[in-house]
Amino acid sequence: MAHVRTDDRGSLLDRALEASVVGSFSRIGIVLRRRTQRWPELADAGRGLSALVTGGNSGIGLATAAGLLARGVRVVITTRDEAKGAQARATLLDLVAPVGGPLDRTEVGARLVTASLDLDRLGSVRALAERIDTLGPIDVLVHNAGAMFAERSMTEDGLERTWQVHGVAPFLLTMLLVPHLTMRPDARVVWVSSGGMYTERLVVRRVDSPGGYRPSVAYARAKRAQVELARELHRRLGGSTGIAFHAMHPGWARTPGLRTSLPTFARIVGPLLRSPAEGADTILHLALTARSGADDDPLAGGRFWADRSPRTTDRLSRTVADDAERAALWDRLVADAGVVPPGTTA
Ligand SMILES: NC(=O)c1ccc[n+]([C@@H]2O[C@H](COP(=O)([O-])OP(=O)(O)OC[C@H]3O[C@@H](n4cnc5c(N)ncnc54)[C@H](OP(=O)(O)O)[C@@H]3O)[C@@H](O)[C@H]2O)c1
């Protein structure tokens, strides 16, 4: 009888979990994978690094910022207004460096910066990028901010809101921050997508829901666009800039956003929801794990991740997009963001 090695057991179980959505996306997935794959601790690999986390005042973004701060990273969190920034700062200090705890509160506080960003306004994205000019290099950019909107609406920039918040505005921010991301080697950009994207194919003429609007469909299309965009960014800019562009999904995590947008789902799945920190785990893995330098190193970028492993981008054959559609996505983003990508001319 053939023996199954412990490592093989981990990968067999991983495949079994991946085949079932509940097993993979719920808390069960991360708990079993962590145990059977013997995940290493993400030690203080972040000392000296700088990160920018959008939507860092709540849920997965707050947990990401806490995880980075605890590992020595200098973190800029963005919030929609100053009051939320002040509140998030106090929450993060209490989480990461409680009074009487092992970490020095003053030192952690000095590594935490809050900045204002409202993705509903492209002017706010440009203002943040200008402010970042004073902040120096960025090693890690986490596009975490996002939401599901009950109704279709247009922003002051004349774009459909779900598309702008998840696509156009973070794309613009990425383009404007490329000079900061290339100041040091080994920068990473992480798009926090959603497993919901598995239901939708990238069709660029539909990304802004020009026909009927259904919140979950608009959201899934925008999240699909993020995954295809990470791949396209890797193809166009990965080699010339050295930046690793990743997309990931956090699984189902108990956050204010989930409770607001899908209250019934949050109630039913209840105890099987991940904690925000479990939702943030793969973001931290992508932010902090050293690249091997090998040609086939998945940490070089262009992949879609969950629970610390690259995953398929398509569970259904009908969602597979081709290179032409990804190129059309790029053109649409460039036009809607009104930006000239690095390495091209106006
Ligand atoms: N929780 C899950 O199970 C789950 C599953 C899959 C994917 N995700 C994704 O994970 C990310 C974090 O979600 P979460 O569950 O942690 O939700 P959350 O607790 O609501 O946090 C979302 C963050 O995004 C910010 N945000 C929303 N719209 C924004 C805008 N127009 N401009 C600037 N910031 C904006 C929010 O700011 P305010 O506090 O001001 O609203 C908040 O800081 C999102 O991209 C979400 O789609 C979550």
Side-chain angles (χ1 to χ4, degrees), residues 155-192:
T155 67
E156 65 181 31
D157 300 293
L159 299 170
E160 190 278 321
R161 195 174 173 207
T162 304
W163 168 235
Q164 172 159 332
V165 168
H166 300 89
V168 181
F171 174 77
L172 175 60
L173 185 62
T174 309
M175 294 300 105
L176 297 176
L177 294 191
V178 163
H180 297 267
L181 289 159
T182 50
M183 279 181 187
R184 290 200 291 238
D186 203 18
R188 295 114 198 254
V189 175
V190 182
W191 295 81
V192 181

Side-chain angles (χ1 to χ4, degrees), residues 106-159:
T106 310
E107 189 275 327
V108 173
R111 283 192 281 110
L112 174 58
V113 178
T114 59
S116 169
L117 174 66
D118 183 351
L119 297 168
D120 287 352
R121 295 185 294 110
L122 295 183
S124 170
V125 176
R126 291 187 183 280
L128 174 66
E130 275 166 30
R131 180 177 170 201
I132 292 291
D133 273 345
T134 62
L135 298 177
I138 297 171
D139 303 282
V140 180
L141 169 60
V142 182
H143 290 302
N144 162 78
M148 192 185 291
F149 304 113
E151 285 172 8
R152 188 174 195 273
S153 62
M154 305 300 280
T155 67
E156 65 181 31
D157 300 293
L159 299 170

Side-chain angles (χ1 to χ4, degrees), residues 278-338:
E278 287 168 336
D281 177 83
T282 295
I283 304 172
L284 297 179
H285 174 72
L286 293 170
L288 297 172
T289 308
R291 293 192 213 171
S292 73
D295 286 346
D296 60 351
D297 179 8
L299 286 166
R303 309 285 187 99
F304 179 56
W305 296 73
D307 284 348
R308 298 195 185 188
S309 289
R311 306 288 172 186
T312 181
T313 53
D314 298 279
R315 288 166 169 252
L316 307 167
S317 55
R318 71 170 170 80
T319 65
V320 177
D322 59 18
D323 291 346
E325 202 60 19
R326 276 187 288 276
L329 172 66
W330 181 269
D331 292 344
R332 173 78 185 259
L333 284 164
V334 168
D336 283 355

